[in-house]
Amino acid sequence: MTTPDAGTPDADGLLAEQLLRLTRRLHRVQKRYLEPIGITPAQSRLLRTVAFYDSPPRMADLAERLEVVPRAVTSLVDGLESSGCVRRAPDPTNRRVIRIELTETGRGVLRALRDARRSAAEDILAPLTADQRDVLGGLLSALVGGPVDGVPDRRC
């Protein structure tokens, strides 16, 4: 096994750095497109996750699916609730459980989010041909290892 010397670039390290730079760029572009909607990328992710469920999820369900601590979900729900996108509702079978319901306002925001995300993706992917985008999609699927945001590919 050979080790690279100090003057040889580390190909995997360079690739990792490129991915980090792309992630930061994607975050900046997405934030720019979400700003007019009045929602943060984290709130966007939570709202899309709530919409994924067939019935209103519990806060614990959201925390698990998003792989965050419950307190993070509480803060996000607080913000989305204050903007009228979601509402807390008691579980009909267990009064101690709170479920998170999507409101009509939230559904409208989801439609705006879909358009904003599409525009952000077009901005980022503009230099690539359709074939290159297909290849990139396959490579990213292999690296991510499954659905994005813990949500299967279901357009919202």
Side-chain angles (χ1 to χ4, degrees), residues 9-21:
D10 173 17
D12 288 343
L14 290 174
L15 185 58
E17 181 60 32
Q18 287 176 307
L19 287 170
L20 288 171
R21 288 177 53 209

Side-chain angles (χ1 to χ4, degrees), residues 91-123:
D91 184 286
T93 61
N94 184 345
R95 292 183 320 168
R96 294 177 297 172
V97 174
I98 299 296
R99 300 219 172 245
I100 306 304
E101 296 179 340
L102 194 60
T103 64
E104 281 306 314
T105 299
R107 285 187 247 299
V109 168
L110 278 172
R111 286 188 290 276
L113 284 173
R114 182 177 40 242
D115 293 341
R117 287 172 53 111
R118 187 176 297 121
S119 295
E122 287 171 4
D123 191 356

Side-chain angles (χ1 to χ4, degrees), residues 2-155:
T2 61
T3 58
D5 60 29
T8 306
D10 173 17
D12 288 343
L14 290 174
L15 185 58
E17 181 60 32
Q18 287 176 307
L19 287 170
L20 288 171
R21 288 177 53 209
L22 178 60
T23 300
R24 286 191 294 267
R25 181 171 175 235
L26 182 58
H27 195 261
R28 279 192 314 272
V29 169
Q30 189 175 37
K31 189 174 180 181
R32 186 176 73 229
Y33 280 97
L34 293 178
E35 213 167 276
I37 299 170
I39 196 166
T40 67
Q43 288 173 328
S44 165
R45 188 171 172 226
L46 182 87
L47 197 59
R48 287 181 290 116
T49 303
V50 170
F52 164 77
Y53 286 90
D54 292 328
S55 61
R58 300 173 307 141
M59 299 269 267
D61 298 329
L62 294 169
E64 183 179 335
R65 182 166 295 275
L66 294 171
E67 298 177 340
V68 297
V69 296
R71 177 69 192 129
V73 171
T74 301
S75 297
L76 291 171
V77 168
D78 288 346
L80 289 170
E81 189 174 40
S82 71
S83 65
C85 292
V86 299
R87 73 176 146 258
R88 289 175 167 91
D91 184 286
T93 61
N94 184 345
R95 292 183 320 168
R96 294 177 297 172
V97 174
I98 299 296
R99 300 219 172 245
I100 306 304
E101 296 179 340
L102 194 60
T103 64
E104 281 306 314
T105 299
R107 285 187 247 299
V109 168
L110 278 172
R111 286 188 290 276
L113 284 173
R114 182 177 40 242
D115 293 341
R117 287 172 53 111
R118 187 176 297 121
S119 295
E122 287 171 4
D123 191 356
I124 291 287
L125 300 173
L128 302 179
T129 66
D131 287 343
Q132 288 172 322
R133 290 177 188 203
D134 287 343
V135 169
L136 179 61
L139 293 170
L140 291 174
S141 290
L143 291 174
V144 172
V148 175
D149 290 346
V151 177
D153 187 16
R154 178 172 136 183
R155 306 285 182 233

